Amino acid sequence: MDHLSLEKPTMPDTLRPLGNFPPSLWGDRFSSFTLDTQLLEKYSTEVEVLKEEVKDMLVLDHDDVGDGGKSGAEKMVLIDALERLGVSYLFQKEIEELLENMFPKFEEYSHVFHDNLFMLSLHFRVFRQHGYDLSSDAFERFTDNNGEFKETISSDMMGMLSLYEATFLKTHGEDILDKAFCFTKAGLESLKPHLSSNLAEQVTHALYQSLQRGIPRVEARHYISVYEKDASRNEKLLRLAKIDFNRVQMLHKEELCHISRWWKEWDLRSHIPYVRDRAVECFFYSTAVCFEPQYSLARLILTKTMIMISVLDDTYDAYGTYEELKCFTNAVQRWDMNAIDQLPKYMKPIYKALLNVHDEFYQEIMAKKEINYSVQYLEEAYKEVVRCYDVETEWLKKGYMQTMEEHLANALVTITSPLLTTAAFVGMGEIATPEAFQWLQSQPRILMACSTIFRVINDIQSCKTEDERSHVTTGVDCYMKQYGVSRPEAIGELLKIIENAWIDINEEMMRPTMISRDLVIRVLNFTRLYGVVYKYNDGYTQPECGKDSIIALYEDSIPI
Ligand SMILES: CC(C)=CCC/C(C)=C/CC/C(C)=C/COP(=O)(O)OP(=O)(O)O
């Protein structure tokens, strides 16, 4: 039982707990890019033409859902294709109107696909993804008298796959979806060897990464290549998806080039070589949260905030001594350039950058003649994170092992999701109203669930490496000590906390949401990102596992 060896040593005042982090994978790879404006214009023009044609396909005629349900089903297939191909953002209004119309009529038109597991599961997933709480009771028709799923459906590959994806939209107490998950997972695994290569690829991918928990832009890039091989594909949709992907990629490349140069010119690492060098990854994370072209400023602010807070995190966790960190905590609470004098030499450029970057955001927002209240919320969020870093520093110095409750109260702040969500909102313009920022500050359940997932998954993955350097205690250690259990048992319990938090998120995504859905979706996207990056290890510290996605999103365009 390794929980017996959990007493923490006290931290000597002068020790620097160096992380020895792996270097950046990228060098100057993304630092030069010239936008081909002619090509961009050509793509944009074609997107506009295709967009109009697809809009016509989305119009719901008066009789559409009354025609025996056929058109309703067709529309749902179309909506799903647009979403999976990553172009639904071009039809947000049309899709919303369509679903609003279809949902109340679902009972009426769904009898036509009464026994069609694929179609029912598709409707269930898409309605719920849009916040319409379609009841899972409808799946009972596929169960026997004992409440078990009928074996007859196990050979329906598309139905099984569709139901499997639908189970990730579950809310609390929906036991039928727990059963559906186990049934479809086992069924798909055994079907896989007997499928054609395209179907086998789809099943393998779904078992590795469900749609609901995947990063939208990464999943879209993957799905375009799947859809291309689908015999029932719509050529118009495929072309729109490919061209729009390349068009948006050009804009992302330009932004990434700006970020890469900014990071290089800033040259902070020559003063503080101990920090993780992850500017490209941070841009990728921002794209995961909001990839749409109109959110360029949000990506910029979010990326720079991630880089900045990562520098602070490494300073607290992997370099600063107790006294130095105390000074830094005080200076951040003052938020005043005059406080720089009280800092040790290596901390001065960090502090200066923190305040300057923040000022830059303010200027950017004012230049767009937008709101000016939002940046203040970001400043407050930084101060709160730093106060909680300080609590960790105190615990470490004293060798104090906090309880699980104390750990979560502090670590749900230091995991930085509230700060990063605030940063994303700051860049999203007018939809981020003062009420939206106040909502964020009220610790809404969805944000708490997002932070819980990030914190717990981070603790599980990082306890392996951080224990080796007398680091701050992870939740795994707290749980083992508090409940007297082994490491695998503690991890098992923590994984249940994560699953539970995902269900909270599903519930919070149901209509009506307290603030604009477009904002709430960012919290979901943050959660998806954390789940993907920390799936098998600490993918931020060990960046190899994100490499293929970064190349697919910013280097390889799609052959047209
Ligand atoms: C997907 C992803 C990583 C997104 C977050 C973006 C980002 C750079 C956040 C900054 C905070 C941070 C470094 C957290 C994880 O590191 P850590 O394990 O050192 O955190 P800890 O010290 O709080 O445990």
Side-chain angles (χ1 to χ4, degrees):
M1 291 279 276
D2 52 0
H3 68 270
L4 294 177
S5 60
L6 275 174
E7 291 315 314
K8 294 298 282 186
T10 54
M11 179 76 148
D13 283 355
T14 51
L15 184 79
R16 296 200 185 279
L18 290 174
N20 294 323
F21 302 123
S24 165
L25 300 174
W26 308 108
D28 280 340
R29 196 151 154 183
F30 294 105
S31 308
S32 52
F33 173 72
T34 314
L35 186 68
D36 181 342
T37 45
Q38 263 186 341
L39 185 60
L40 181 68
E41 217 174 291
K42 183 169 163 277
Y43 283 155
S44 302
T45 309
E46 191 170 349
V47 164
E48 282 310 311
V49 173
L50 287 166
K51 209 170 118 178
E52 290 312 309
E53 293 176 23
V54 173
K55 267 187 193 170
D56 290 342
M57 294 160 69
L58 279 166
V59 173
L60 189 70
D61 293 337
H62 180 63
D63 284 337
D64 261 357
V65 290
D67 70 348
K70 195 166 155 285
S71 300
E74 276 170 8
K75 293 282 186 270
M76 203 49 120
V77 170
L78 174 61
I79 292 171
D80 187 46
L82 291 170
E83 300 202 322
R84 299 191 71 168
L85 290 167
V87 285
S88 57
Y89 78 98
L90 296 168
F91 309 100
Q92 207 175 352
K93 191 170 135 278
E94 289 78 8
I95 290 175
E96 284 312 322
E97 278 174 16
L98 201 46
L99 291 175
E100 203 179 320
N101 244 301
M102 285 166 67
F103 184 65
K105 297 177 189 146
F106 177 74
E107 286 298 321
E108 180 192 325
Y109 79 87
S110 62
H111 64 269
V112 71
F113 49 82
H114 187 264
D115 294 323
N116 186 333
L117 181 61
F118 168 81
M119 210 43 100
L120 173 63
S121 306
L122 175 71
H123 275 74
F124 178 83
R125 175 170 59 78
V126 176
F127 274 135
R128 284 219 174 168
Q129 281 172 333
H130 285 263
Y132 293 102
D133 193 3
L134 192 68
S135 167
S136 55
D137 292 350
F139 291 114
E140 278 170 13
R141 74 181 74 128
F142 297 100
T143 60
D144 60 23
N145 294 339
N146 301 319
E148 302 301 327
F149 277 88
K150 293 175 187 162
E151 276 308 318
T152 46
I153 61 168
S154 61
S155 56
D156 172 7
M157 210 296 285
M158 293 312 283
M160 292 282 278
L161 189 54
S162 185
L163 177 57
Y164 173 78
E165 294 285 15
T167 62
F168 289 89
L169 275 299
K170 154 184 159 70
T171 53
H172 287 289
E174 291 188 307
D175 298 344
I176 192 165
L177 292 179
D178 289 334
K179 282 188 183 171
F181 173 75
C182 298
F183 181 78
T184 51
K185 188 168 182 287
L188 289 171
E189 264 155 10
S190 65
L191 273 177
K192 219 168 62 176
H194 312 290
L195 299 172
S196 69
S197 63
N198 199 26
L199 287 180
E201 190 190 332
Q202 283 185 58
V203 169
T204 306
H205 184 79
L207 290 172
Y208 168 77
Q209 180 58 69
S210 71
L211 196 52
Q212 169 67 0
R213 296 190 187 176
I215 296 173
R217 187 75 176 158
V218 174
E219 293 310 305
R221 178 68 184 84
H222 170 78
Y223 190 68
I224 291 171
S225 63
V226 170
Y227 191 71
E228 188 164 32
K229 291 180 234 155
D230 184 343
S232 64
R233 69 186 172 270
N234 177 314
E235 294 296 347
K236 210 172 274 179
L237 296 197
L238 179 63
R239 183 149 181 98
L240 173 63
K242 285 182 174 182
I243 291 181
D244 194 60
F245 184 91
N246 286 353
R247 177 181 81 97
V248 175
Q249 184 185 59
M250 291 169 88
L251 304 173
H252 287 168
K253 275 177 156 177
E254 199 179 31
E255 293 168 5
L256 178 54
C257 175
H258 165 83
I259 291 286
S260 303
R261 287 183 187 171
W262 169 83
W263 176 235
K264 199 173 153 191
E265 279 159 24
W266 184 17
D267 196 27
L268 193 62
R269 292 194 79 253
S270 67
H271 301 280
I272 47 168
Y274 59 84
V275 297
R276 284 171 283 189
D277 188 352
R278 301 284 180 271
V280 174
E281 281 74 14
C282 288
F283 182 73
F284 168 60
Y285 302 156
S286 302
T287 314
V289 175
C290 38
F291 78 89
E292 299 90 334
Q294 70 268 29
Y295 294 132
S296 174
L297 182 61
R299 280 188 293 282
L300 180 98
I301 292 181
L302 186 52
T303 307
K304 291 185 177 179
T305 305
M306 284 180 178
I307 294 173
M308 202 63 242
I309 195 64
S310 184
V311 167
L312 299 197
D313 185 80
D314 289 336
T315 302
Y316 277 83
D317 282 359
Y319 196 78
T321 63
Y322 178 79
E323 291 303 333
E324 290 167 354
L325 295 173
K326 280 279 161 198
C327 288
F328 196 79
T329 303
N330 290 335
V332 173
Q333 301 313 304
R334 280 180 61 190
W335 206 272
D336 172 2
M337 207 51 100
N338 293 321
I340 204 165
D341 299 336
Q342 72 190 54
L343 294 172
K345 193 166 169 231
Y346 79 92
M347 282 181 162
K348 290 183 196 288
I350 307 175
Y351 189 71
K352 198 170 161 200
L354 175 64
L355 267 57
N356 282 348
V357 166
H358 200 72
D359 237 36
E360 202 187 289
F361 295 163
Y362 185 79
Q363 304 304 336
E364 290 264 4
I365 286 170
M366 292 310 281
K368 285 189 177 289
K369 295 196 174 46
E370 282 182 6
I371 45 185
N372 62 3
Y373 52 82
S374 59
V375 183
Q376 184 63 30
Y377 288 97
L378 192 57
E379 181 184 316
E380 291 309 318
Y382 266 118
K383 288 179 183 171
E384 196 186 5
V385 171
V386 166
R387 284 197 294 274
C388 291
Y389 282 155
D390 184 59
V391 171
E392 284 177 358
T393 310
E394 287 291 342
W395 284 342
L396 187 62
K397 179 177 161 63
K398 292 177 184 147
Y400 176 66
M401 170 85 76
Q402 66 273 34
T403 63
M404 196 62 192
E405 291 73 23
E406 287 168 332
H407 173 68
L408 287 181
N410 202 62
L412 293 190
V413 179
T414 60
I415 200 59
T416 71
S417 316
L419 167 81
L420 298 180
T421 312
T422 307
F425 281 18
V426 168
M428 286 178 74
E430 284 172 358
I431 57 166
T433 58
E435 291 73 31
F437 287 100
Q438 281 149 21
W439 174 81
L440 268 187
Q441 290 198 318
S442 70
Q443 304 194 327
R445 190 164 77 131
I446 189 166
L447 183 62
M448 298 307 279
C450 168
S451 298
T452 302
I453 290 172
F454 190 14
R455 170 46 72 199
V456 174
I457 204 167
N458 177 290
D459 278 355
I460 291 174
Q461 298 302 359
S462 60
C463 69
K464 304 166 194 164
T465 46
E466 293 188 345
D467 277 357
E468 287 162 14
R469 54 185 172 102
S470 177
H471 187 84
V472 282
T473 313
T474 70
V476 179
D477 305 316
C478 297
Y479 200 96
M480 288 165 70
K481 171 104 189 288
Q482 188 165 341
Y483 297 102
V485 295
S486 68
R487 186 170 296 262
E489 282 169 324
I491 290 176
E493 290 306 312
L494 293 178
L495 289 173
K496 286 186 201 159
I497 293 178
I498 291 178
E499 273 312 305
N500 209 48
W502 266 114
I503 301 171
D504 286 351
I505 289 181
N506 289 346
E507 291 193 352
E508 292 301 310
M509 291 301 298
M510 293 298 158
R511 284 166 196 265
T513 49
M514 298 280 285
I515 57 167
S516 153
R517 272 187 81 74
D518 207 13
L519 292 173
V520 185
I521 283 170
R522 309 305 147 178
V523 184
L524 171 62
N525 284 348
F526 271 116
T527 319
R528 289 165 160 164
L529 167 70
Y530 304 143
V532 170
V533 174
Y534 287 84
K535 200 175 204 150
Y536 298 114
N537 64 3
D538 174 350
Y540 182 59
T541 305
Q542 314 290 336
E544 266 305 320
C545 56
K547 193 176 172 184
D548 290 350
S549 295
I550 288 176
I551 291 172
L553 293 201
Y554 311 119
E555 208 160 67
D556 299 343
S557 57
I558 301 183
I560 305 278

